[in-house]
Amino acid sequence: MYDAALELIGSEPQPISNDEYRRRVDRLTSQMRPGDLLIVPASNTAVHSNDVHYPYRTQSDMLYLAGWDEPEAVFTVHHQEGKWISTLFVQPKDTLKEIWEGRRPGTEGALADWPIDAAHSSHELEDHLQAMLSDASRVLLRTGIRSEIDQLVVNALERRDRARQHFGSGPITIEDPSARIAELRLRKSAAEIAQMRFASDVSSIAHVAAMRNTKPGRMEYQLQATIEGFFSYAGTSGWAYPSIVGCGDNATVLHYHQNNDVCQDGEVILIDAGAEYRGYAADITRSWPINGIFTDAQKEIYQLVLDAQLAAIDKCRVGLPYNAPHDEARLVLAQGLIDLGVINQTLEEALDMETGELKKWYMHNTGHWIGLDVHDVGVYKPNGEPRLLEEGMVMTVEPGLYFGAWRPDVDCPERYADLGVRIEDDVLVTSGNPDVLTSACPKTIEDIESITGQSF
Ligand code: GLY
Ligand code: MN
Ligand code: MN
């Protein structure tokens, strides 16, 4: 399987350019007014135990605006002498710390190589922030990430309140800039799409490797290892979200995470796993038979989910509401389940959100935005109305059917008992046809049967 990784090596896209980062910040400052101070904090590392830390992953807004992925950073933008100044506060050079934890760019490295106007040590954050706050009339800050920064802003606000009494100065207001940044992140640039395509290619090949490595007796965690090992081997930073690897009735648990069961002859396995590359996520689900051949009953459900997915992908088009793929998938699934005798209602009845039977077997949405976060930012219903799709938006399309015979709330049809099938791809909305970024991952019954178990 590692031959496939070799094919990818050399096809990595160029990183996002500093010019692009600056354009992103310009777009944001064009909505700001002098007197605004933007503060984008990154969280600190989290302790696992004693000297061991959890792997660090910074906030996506920090990645989006500054491309900086080290811990404890703070990115600010303030207005001074007629222009906007971006500043990055970073961990300073520290030989002892660097001997133990790794080399640091420090302030000089940050200024030389990152898209910023100024860099300071994170040790000087408080002094600089105090000065910036004293000139600010509105602070754009997402609270709740770094409590000490929240406190500095609140203190400044209280001081202003007192000063207002004496000198009439102030006020400071605090606004969450997340929604403004989300609006920018929702539409992906060509360079972002290139990163996502690479994450998608790696994830597709990883799924194929797991299909090839599947046979009765395999443990779910062994297939997880095949996939996640490949993520690392291909040079990504690993998973974009914890892998879901569930065979048999485990596939009917939507966020199954134990991944410790044995794969049995006759079962279908559902794997939902995607890599993260330079911060950008892929999100793929495939479902395949452990022994390499679908039973007739499994084929009926698999083909129905695939038909629903293909019909939904075709609705990822400019000008359609974001929920058009969901509505289409529900329509196809409901009609299919009526035809298979699983649902004894009219189509209209089956689709009803209160009393319809479709939701017994299909209980989640058909997709979500994807980008720097796997469940990416962006309001689905601005002003209460479904957002219309635009070129550059990327969403997942992931219908499924889940027949958990273990569920006390439903009468599971015996023919499909303990079968869970989901098929998920990541789709770019273009001015033309939908562009399936994860199209390298096979999904027809014929292709899946020809690949599964091929390693043996
Ligand atoms: N992997 C989580 C999801 O598909 O939304
Ligand atoms: Mn998803
Ligand atoms: Mn998924």
Side-chain angles (χ1 to χ4, degrees):
M1 82 173 180
Y2 293 114
D3 292 349
L6 294 179
E7 281 171 32
L8 287 170
I9 292 168
S11 76
E12 296 91 346
Q14 289 294 317
I16 308 278
S17 71
N18 279 357
D19 281 351
E20 177 161 336
Y21 285 113
R22 286 190 180 274
R23 281 197 298 276
R24 295 173 181 178
V25 174
D26 285 349
R27 250 178 251 141
L28 195 58
T29 53
S30 71
Q31 304 170 31
M32 291 163 52
R33 52 188 190 231
D36 279 353
L37 168 62
L38 172 73
I39 306 176
V40 178
S43 54
N44 294 330
T45 52
V47 174
H48 180 287
S49 55
N50 290 334
D51 296 330
V52 178
H53 289 81
Y54 285 102
Y56 183 73
R57 205 290 191 171
T58 191
Q59 270 62 34
S60 294
D61 283 349
M62 174 66 82
L63 286 179
Y64 186 75
L65 295 173
W68 184 267
D69 59 8
E70 297 287 321
E72 293 174 22
V74 177
F75 177 73
T76 63
V77 181
H78 71 289
H79 201 259
Q80 192 181 310
E81 292 166 10
K83 55 181 187 157
W84 293 102
I85 309 287
S86 58
T87 305
L88 196 57
F89 294 87
V90 302
Q91 292 174 320
K93 298 289 280 179
D94 179 329
T95 305
L96 187 60
K97 285 252 163 69
E98 290 182 58
I99 287 170
W100 284 92
E101 296 168 5
R103 305 293 300 277
R104 296 175 171 182
T107 51
E108 274 182 28
L111 197 54
D113 296 329
W114 271 263
I116 49 170
D117 302 318
H120 298 294
S121 158
S122 52
H123 298 168
E124 298 164 11
L125 174 68
E126 184 167 342
D127 288 348
H128 283 277
L129 269 191
Q130 298 282 19
M132 289 176 188
L133 282 164
S134 67
D135 290 334
S137 56
R138 183 172 67 161
V139 180
L140 304 176
L141 167 69
R142 172 141 172 220
T143 54
I145 295 175
R146 292 269 292 274
S147 56
E148 73 276 25
I149 294 175
D150 296 353
Q151 196 56 52
L152 274 177
V153 174
V154 169
N155 291 348
L157 194 127
E158 283 176 1
R159 266 197 310 280
R160 278 293 181 95
D161 269 356
R162 288 198 300 276
R164 183 166 36 225
Q165 238 180 344
H166 295 290
F167 312 114
S169 65
I172 284 187
T173 56
I174 304 176
E175 184 187 298
D176 184 348
S178 307
R180 288 176 198 271
I181 302 171
E183 209 50 39
L184 301 179
R185 283 174 50 187
L186 187 51
R187 298 162 186 84
K188 274 70 181 172
S189 69
E192 292 183 285
I193 290 161
Q195 317 302 322
M196 294 182 73
R197 230 182 259 287
F198 189 77
S200 299
D201 281 343
V202 170
S203 306
S204 298
I205 294 174
H207 275 259
V208 170
M211 286 176 197
R212 291 166 54 94
N213 191 22
T214 298
K215 64 176 182 180
R218 273 272 172 275
M219 300 303 290
E220 291 167 344
Y221 51 72
Q222 291 174 327
L223 297 178
Q224 177 184 1
T226 302
I227 286 193
E228 293 179 4
F230 190 82
F231 289 170
S232 295
Y233 196 88
T236 72
S237 47
W239 50 253
Y241 55 91
S243 306
I244 297 167
V245 183
C247 60
D249 65 352
N250 298 331
T252 68
V253 175
L254 298 179
H255 286 170
Y256 176 72
H257 62 272
Q258 288 82 359
N259 301 354
N260 59 1
D261 220 343
V262 60
C263 301
Q264 308 275 7
D265 200 357
E267 290 178 339
V268 164
I269 188 163
L270 181 159
I271 298 192
D272 184 344
E276 181 179 290
Y277 185 65
R278 296 192 183 131
Y280 288 87
D283 186 2
I284 300 183
T285 309
R286 290 293 184 267
S287 310
W288 61 87
I290 296 295
N291 63 16
I293 307 288
F294 286 107
T295 65
D296 287 346
Q298 290 166 354
K299 260 187 201 167
E300 287 159 13
I301 296 304
Y302 187 90
Q303 190 60 47
L304 175 54
V305 174
L306 183 55
D307 290 346
Q309 202 231 13
L310 293 173
I313 288 173
D314 197 48
K315 297 289 179 189
C316 297
R317 290 180 183 275
V318 169
L320 291 181
Y322 85 92
N323 54 325
H326 181 55
D327 292 345
E328 186 68 16
R330 291 188 83 241
L331 200 65
V332 174
L333 291 176
Q335 185 60 58
L337 291 181
I338 291 169
D339 295 344
L340 290 171
V342 173
I343 293 182
N344 290 309
Q345 291 178 315
T346 64
L347 183 60
E348 195 182 344
E349 287 167 349
L351 291 167
D352 188 278
M353 287 312 294
E354 299 299 319
T355 56
E357 289 192 11
L358 176 63
K359 69 176 194 308
K360 287 186 185 174
W361 319 112
Y362 181 44
M363 61 296 276
H364 59 75
N365 278 322
T366 301
H368 48 83
W369 310 128
I370 179 168
L372 282 168
D373 292 322
V374 64
H375 289 183
D376 209 24
V377 292
V379 177
Y380 289 100
K381 287 186 175 182
N383 308 314
E385 290 298 318
R387 186 189 287 277
L388 302 185
L389 296 176
E390 295 172 37
E391 206 176 332
M393 294 179 177
V394 185
M395 63 197 308
T396 66
V397 179
E398 48 178 308
L401 287 171
Y402 311 92
F403 297 99
W406 56 270
R407 285 170 54 189
D409 61 323
V410 289
D411 270 332
C412 184
E414 211 171 302
R415 182 169 175 77
Y416 306 123
D418 294 332
L419 175 61
V421 171
R422 178 164 67 253
I423 306 172
E424 174 173 29
D425 283 301
D426 305 344
V427 182
L428 166 68
V429 179
T430 76
S431 60
N433 290 328
D435 183 350
V436 181
L437 300 180
T438 44
S439 61
C441 195
K443 60 183 174 183
T444 65
I445 288 178
E446 198 184 10
D447 283 349
I448 282 185
E449 289 190 337
S450 73
I451 293 168
T452 300
Q454 225 184 30
S455 295
F456 310 103

